[in-house]
Amino acid sequence: MNQCRPRLRLIHVLLVLVPLFVSSQANAHLFDLFKSFLGMPVFKESPKYTTDDNVIIPTYDGLELHGNIFVPTTGESSYPAIIFINSWAFDEYEYLAEAKRFSEDGYVVLSYSTRGFGQSDGTIETAGPEDLADVSAVIDYLVTRYPVDVEAIGVSGISYGSGISLLSAAVEPRIKAVSAMSTWGSLTDSLYGNRATRLVWGLGLIGAGEITGNPNAEINQHYSDLLFQRNIAEGRGWFESRSPINYVDQINANGAAIHLSSNLGDNLFQSNSVLKLYEGLTGPKKLDLNQGTHFVGEVIGMGNENNHVWSNAHDWFDYWLKGIDNGIVEKDRVEMEVKFGDYESFADWPFDEVTDRTLYLHEKEYDGDGDMLPHPYAPWWPKTDTIYSGLDTFATSGIPILSYLAEDKLDIPIVSSMPLISTINAIRWESDWLYETTKLRGIPKVHLTVTPSKSRALLVAYLYDVAWTGVGKLITHAPYAIIDAIPGQKMDVDLDLVATAYDVPAGHYLALVIDTADALYAPPTLEHYNVKINYSSNIRNTLTLPIK
């Protein structure tokens, strides 16, 4: 059954917040996008193409998917085609600005609403097998009704649409190129990485799905299980089946050219699993690592020929679908945007230009923090530092979504005063003053030997760039949930922080803070607990930094 679904609450929030961070050109595009949410899509007229807003695509199980199509008018016998797949909570009108640009460049462009969203039938299947079969049905519809070159079909999307694009490339050999923006490698890691359930983003997805779509009960149930740390094996299987990283062999076998884009401030689809996915691809591939939060930069950038990610997407499709020698494959494969800086290029990932530097964590001293030094700590007798749960501290990942939006668009960092961070509910280690700029490029890693007092606990690690004032700018962070530990028994914790690109100036120092709470992550228990950090002659607690 087709039905309009209420979107007004979501739209009102976006109308208030987004214009604060974007240009007037982007505002014009966004207001067109909001009109589409209200059922008033804006199709720009052009003599270079025709449009049809009444596309109805039959599925294998008798449902109807709704979409729209742009067809060039230059009279060619066939054209390359691009299929756009909607983001979560969006519909077939999301990509009108980019459909216009691509169609003017000679592409047939079809955008559709996945089942359960927009006017499409069915329930939201969260990139399940039904969604992949739908992509094949869309391709069938295109090649039988329009002048499409079957050897030149590309698929693209932001967020939800990007994951379906990648998964489809594993099962649909007619897909020749993909551009996947704000994408994920592992859906398990995205919502349950390091066994820490994503609270704000998870609830946001569930809520947005309820407001704007018709969700299958499975997604709510599996997320609820993650939230309460139950039925994890069953839920993990469901999320793993929707993780492109588990289909990398099939993607490689089909040979599609894959363009990935990931945002280093994206706390939903954090970049680490995208890097693993990229590393596993053996065919043509390219990776953009951008600053900013989930999906906002790509949406704001639509229709802007100077937007870095969309410019690469156009060049990628032009090369692989039209054969235009535009230099995209001669460029370095990986482009990484430095926080508060510019893009840098690397031949590939892992980076050959980066080496690891290890700092050793020393016991806390009378001034309230421990040292972080290049030589191991080997006390004469075993020692411990203890942190207690119960209160959050001034160490924080910021205001969800807004802090990373402000950081990217307004250069406003996420800051915390090191002296104000509790020495009871957190522990802090500080490096020596830096005598030269330290360029971090990649994934910092933390290793600890800890003793939890209860079977469950949450640790959140934050890495800061600290000036002489004691005020630190957040570089990166990551959570780690301890589940089913033996209380009172030592255990090792190996924690990869979120990948970063950051220059720490000379005259500053680094600080590593660990506490037990952050707004982004659900606590695995409501019990009070403590966690001891262990030091001895045969224990090495470390921070390993990727230095360019």
Side-chain angles (χ1 to χ4, degrees), residues 437-470:
T437 299
T438 299
K439 298 183 177 183
L440 303 177
R441 303 290 187 270
I443 301 174
K445 301 174 183 291
V446 175
H447 172 80
L448 300 171
T449 300
V450 304
T451 304
S453 67
K454 299 289 177 67
S455 62
R456 294 186 177 186
L458 177 66
L459 300 175
V460 186
Y462 308 87
L463 184 62
Y464 285 98
D465 158 25
V466 188
W468 65 271
T469 59

Side-chain angles (χ1 to χ4, degrees), residues 269-287:
F269 299 149
Q270 291 174 334
S271 296
N272 292 25
S273 77
V274 178
L275 288 165
K276 291 178 185 176
L277 170 64
Y278 172 86
E279 191 172 355
L281 294 171
T282 57
K285 60 183 179 179
K286 182 164 182 60
L287 173 62

Side-chain angles (χ1 to χ4, degrees), residues 325-526:
D325 188 6
N326 50 29
I328 188 70
V329 296
E330 280 78 41
K331 294 170 66 175
D332 285 335
R333 284 180 169 181
V334 181
E335 294 182 84
M336 187 181 218
E337 186 180 10
V338 179
K339 188 178 287 192
F340 312 123
D342 297 321
Y343 279 91
E344 294 181 350
S345 296
F346 297 87
D348 212 349
W349 169 266
F351 300 149
D352 289 337
E353 302 90 335
V354 169
T355 56
D356 287 342
R357 180 184 302 169
T358 298
L359 298 177
Y360 295 86
L361 311 183
H362 293 223
E363 180 193 16
K364 185 167 64 175
E365 298 173 338
Y366 294 110
D367 59 358
D369 61 80
D371 290 332
M372 197 157 56
L373 300 173
H375 57 79
Y377 180 49
W380 288 99
W381 55 85
K383 297 184 178 182
T384 61
D385 286 323
T386 305
I387 58 175
Y388 297 85
S389 72
L391 289 175
D392 200 356
T393 72
F394 286 108
T396 176
S397 62
I399 303 170
I401 305 176
L402 292 182
S403 288
Y404 288 88
L405 186 60
E407 188 176 63
D408 180 38
K409 299 302 178 185
L410 303 178
D411 287 345
I412 299 175
I414 301 168
V415 298
S416 180
S417 172
M418 297 298 104
L420 295 182
I421 293 174
S422 169
T423 57
I424 297 173
N425 304 109
I427 185 169
R428 182 175 84 255
W429 295 275
E430 297 181 346
S431 74
D432 288 333
W433 298 99
L434 301 175
Y435 291 100
E436 61 182 8
T437 299
T438 299
K439 298 183 177 183
L440 303 177
R441 303 290 187 270
I443 301 174
K445 301 174 183 291
V446 175
H447 172 80
L448 300 171
T449 300
V450 304
T451 304
S453 67
K454 299 289 177 67
S455 62
R456 294 186 177 186
L458 177 66
L459 300 175
V460 186
Y462 308 87
L463 184 62
Y464 285 98
D465 158 25
V466 188
W468 65 271
T469 59
V471 174
K473 298 178 182 178
L474 182 65
I475 299 172
T476 184
H477 82 287
Y480 187 98
I482 296 171
I483 306 294
D484 298 328
I486 300 174
Q489 182 170 306
K490 291 185 180 71
M491 61 176 290
D492 289 332
V493 169
D494 287 291
L495 173 58
D496 288 357
L497 304 186
V498 178
T500 188
Y502 190 98
D503 291 344
V504 186
H508 288 204
Y509 62 88
L510 290 165
L512 175 67
V513 179
I514 294 179
D515 69 9
T516 64
D518 191 276
L520 284 177
Y521 309 105
T525 179
L526 297 180

Side-chain angles (χ1 to χ4, degrees), residues 21-84:
F21 299 96
V22 300
S23 67
S24 58
Q25 177 186 2
N27 275 337
H29 155 63
L30 288 172
F31 280 116
D32 285 347
L33 188 61
F34 295 147
K35 289 178 184 177
S36 299
F37 266 99
L38 295 171
M40 298 179 291
V42 179
F43 286 82
K44 304 288 187 181
E45 294 184 359
S46 170
K48 295 183 178 181
Y49 57 76
T50 61
T51 63
D52 184 356
D53 189 23
N54 296 303
V55 171
I56 297 178
I57 304 155
T59 69
Y60 75 96
D61 52 352
L63 303 180
E64 292 182 345
L65 305 178
H66 285 239
N68 60 74
I69 194 165
F70 287 60
V71 182
T73 56
T74 54
E76 305 295 330
S77 60
S78 66
Y79 299 94
I82 293 175
I83 298 167
F84 278 123

